Amino acid sequence: MRLLAAYNVWADGMDLLAHSVGNILPLVDKVLIVFSNNSNYGHYLPFSSLEPHEKIQYLNFEPNLHESPHINECAKRNAGLRWAKEEGFTHFLGMDSDEFYEAEPFRIEKYRIEKQDLAGTVCPIKVYFKKPTLTVGFDHTLVPFIHKITPGLKFELNNKTYPYAYDPEGHAHIDPTRRLNITQGVELSNVIMHHFSWYRSDYKLKIENSAARNNLRKSSIYEDLKNAAPGVYNQFYRQELKECENIFNL
């Protein structure tokens, strides 16, 4: 297995990028950071490279502002996947800058995927809120983990036939920009993706440039961020916040 971790990055994720890359570097063969200087809404903030490292590469991808944010996000992920194919990687892991994995479960699952020749696996997500020591636990979402690269593999926006994208009741569980164009050979993993999506210095920057901006604006997210504390009910996730260990030393 030659495994590439390809990051999808804009300025709102820079707070955690170096930490996330440092977490994943020992577990993969190379890291590709696909960055843009413009958000999907045209908000310009120049990207700043990390400290030089022989295993880190960069690829600039600017959004087409005539297209929707979801189309641009999917295209940006495909740019990273194309690069992986061109460079001869056998497997691919798509990541955002606020995502982390524990090393030992990662290595075990990586070995299982290669040994069983799986098309890929998807992981449950543990969500952290405002602080690295506050969590709502697991929400309903899943995230694609390592996938085997084939010539025709690509991200396909809102592919409803990607395994685990929907449950039998019709509820969506996987980000529409992260679904691949495959329908079988993908298994559910017990590896946990630790998602620090609401731990950053500028929440407004994230919300106002998110592909889900309209839904976030109408949600309780600002109120939840203001009131976040252990034992407080989080309306956005419909769960009570719990104190937890800072396992990645953020």
Side-chain angles (χ1 to χ4, degrees):
M1 180 187 287
R2 290 192 66 226
L3 175 60
L4 175 75
Y7 279 81
N8 187 10
V9 176
W10 182 65
D12 75 301
M14 287 303 297
D15 288 352
L16 289 173
L17 181 62
H19 299 285
S20 179
V21 170
N23 166 250
I24 209 71
L25 265 179
L27 306 172
V28 301
D29 295 288
K30 188 160 283 190
V31 166
L32 175 69
I33 298 175
V34 186
F35 71 93
S36 60
N37 297 303
N38 292 280
S39 79
N40 292 321
Y41 296 96
H43 188 148
Y44 177 79
L45 283 173
F47 174 78
S48 299
S49 299
L50 304 180
E51 290 293 322
H53 193 286
E54 61 180 4
K55 286 175 64 175
I56 301 176
Q57 298 287 327
Y58 296 90
L59 177 67
N60 179 223
F61 181 91
E62 297 298 331
N64 178 352
L65 299 181
H66 298 291
E67 297 286 3
S68 73
H70 280 104
I71 288 174
N72 279 313
E73 285 295 287
C74 192
K76 193 173 182 181
R77 297 190 194 283
N78 273 320
L81 181 51
R82 280 195 302 273
W83 192 92
K85 293 178 182 179
E86 292 166 1
E87 296 296 318
F89 288 90
T90 64
H91 290 75
F92 175 91
L93 170 64
M95 293 191 68
D96 289 346
S97 58
D98 51 11
E99 299 177 358
F100 291 75
Y101 291 94
E102 295 174 83
E104 193 56 26
F106 188 105
R107 291 190 178 100
I108 292 170
E109 184 71 347
K110 178 180 172 182
Y111 176 75
R112 183 175 82 90
I113 290 168
E114 182 175 27
K115 184 178 181 182
Q116 298 182 14
D117 196 26
L118 299 177
T121 61
V122 298
C123 300
I125 300 173
K126 186 174 183 180
V127 179
Y128 297 79
F129 199 85
K130 195 173 183 178
K131 298 178 180 180
T133 54
L134 275 181
T135 180
V136 293
F138 296 90
D139 72 354
H140 69 95
T141 55
L142 301 167
V143 65
F145 187 56
I146 297 170
H147 279 63
K148 183 179 180 180
I149 295 176
T150 59
L153 186 69
K154 65 178 181 179
F155 289 94
E156 188 173 83
L157 182 62
N158 205 26
N159 176 18
K160 294 183 178 181
T161 60
Y162 177 73
Y164 304 99
Y166 286 82
D167 63 26
E169 287 73 42
H171 302 121
H173 295 284
I174 293 178
D175 182 333
T177 72
R178 298 181 80 154
R179 302 173 194 172
L180 292 144
N181 64 335
I182 51 179
T183 60
Q184 58 186 1
V186 177
E187 296 186 2
L188 186 62
S189 172
N190 59 8
V191 171
I192 298 168
M193 190 269 272
H194 297 266
H195 198 193
F196 292 84
S197 57
W198 297 107
Y199 177 55
R200 56 243 295 139
S201 59
D202 190 338
Y203 301 107
K204 187 174 181 180
L205 188 67
K206 171 185 172 66
I207 291 167
E208 293 302 315
N209 290 278
S210 169
R213 179 172 73 176
N214 291 337
N215 289 333
L216 288 171
R217 283 174 170 174
K218 293 183 286 187
S219 76
S220 62
I221 194 67
Y222 281 114
E223 183 180 354
D224 287 324
L225 287 164
K226 179 182 176 181
N227 298 328
V232 172
Y233 183 76
N234 187 290
Q235 297 179 68
F236 188 79
Y237 287 100
R238 299 178 184 177
Q239 296 187 58
E240 185 179 290
L241 287 169
K242 298 179 177 63
E243 200 161 16
C244 63
E245 182 184 356
N246 186 0
I247 61 175
F248 297 102
N249 297 314
L250 299 177

